[in-house]
Amino acid sequence: MRRGDERPLSLVGRHARLELAFLYRNGRTVLAQAYAEPPFRVGGWFAEGEGVHMILASSAPGAFGHDRLQQSVRIGRGARVRLTSQSAMQVHPSPDGGAAQLHSSYHVEDGAHLHCDWHPLIPFADARIDQRIDINIADGGSLYWSDALMSGRQARGERWQFVSLAPIWRSEERRVGKECR
């Protein structure tokens, strides 16, 4: 069960979560549940073939040190979803060297398909990024993933000048109705 927004005002826009759940109902994929805390925004979704396409939107100019942005996406049995970003994610430095924390989890059920096509991550000079991506795919589910990392603003001499990028990928395939050995 989802809790409401309990953040202190000083953290609104800095600590945020986005929760989306897509289901297959009556012969089509639908957005069954959505919750967003600023700067995240639940935008429109569009029918696309047998599924839906949603552009994930944010009102923020990027992520800053000490930001904690969390996304959780669930794709129910038989649903087909394509997620894209509205633009590249810029990561700005913090004066005290704090890292931006970007945590995402994706759960794809049996017979479901998730297609993620993200714009690049652009870390600026002195930026620190802790990125964690958890992917859980049930037997019979599928995933297409495309993302990129850009070098920073070349015109400002920031090419590859970020302090740290600590990505953690965790992927798990679950067997549904079968014994795992």
Side-chain angles (χ1 to χ4, degrees):
M1 176 177 242
R2 162 183 78 200
R3 344 177 282 273
D5 189 346
E6 301 168 352
R7 299 172 295 169
L9 285 176
S10 63
L11 296 181
V12 171
R14 307 286 319 262
H15 292 189
R17 56 193 166 104
L18 173 68
E19 299 171 0
L20 302 172
F22 296 88
L23 296 175
Y24 187 72
R25 288 187 184 153
N26 302 319
R28 64 188 184 109
T29 299
V30 296
L31 177 61
Q33 185 178 18
Y35 177 77
E37 296 173 346
F40 291 123
R41 189 170 57 84
V42 176
W45 48 278
F46 313 94
E48 183 175 82
E50 297 176 12
V52 297
H53 173 203
M54 177 181 259
I55 301 168
L56 299 186
S58 171
S59 60
F64 294 81
H66 302 290
D67 282 1
R68 189 173 69 216
L69 306 176
Q70 300 174 321
Q71 297 182 103
S72 174
V73 178
R74 294 180 111 32
I75 313 299
R77 170 178 252 145
R80 300 184 63 76
V81 177
R82 181 165 72 107
L83 299 176
T84 56
S85 51
Q86 71 180 8
S87 62
M89 167 66 85
Q90 299 174 348
V91 183
H92 303 270
S94 171
D96 66 1
Q101 297 176 20
L102 311 174
H103 297 168
S104 303
S105 66
Y106 302 89
H107 301 273
V108 182
E109 296 298 325
D110 183 36
H113 175 73
L114 175 59
H115 179 121
C116 296
D117 199 1
W118 308 120
H119 284 86
L121 181 71
I122 306 173
F124 291 166
D126 299 321
R128 294 177 188 269
I129 308 105
D130 290 336
Q131 183 179 37
R132 178 177 163 178
I133 300 170
D134 294 316
I135 299 173
N136 189 304
I137 305 170
D139 189 31
S142 62
L143 171 72
Y144 170 88
W145 189 275
S146 175
D147 68 6
L149 175 66
M150 292 183 72
S151 65
R153 300 177 291 190
Q154 184 172 345
R156 293 192 175 199
E158 294 183 352
R159 222 179 134 129
W160 305 116
Q161 296 299 308
F162 55 91
V163 174
S164 70
L165 172 62
I168 298 172
W169 277 77
R170 191 175 67 123
S171 178
E172 180 179 318
E173 182 179 355
R174 291 181 290 129
R175 301 280 181 210
V176 178
K178 296 180 182 176
E179 194 174 310
C180 295
R181 296 177 192 237

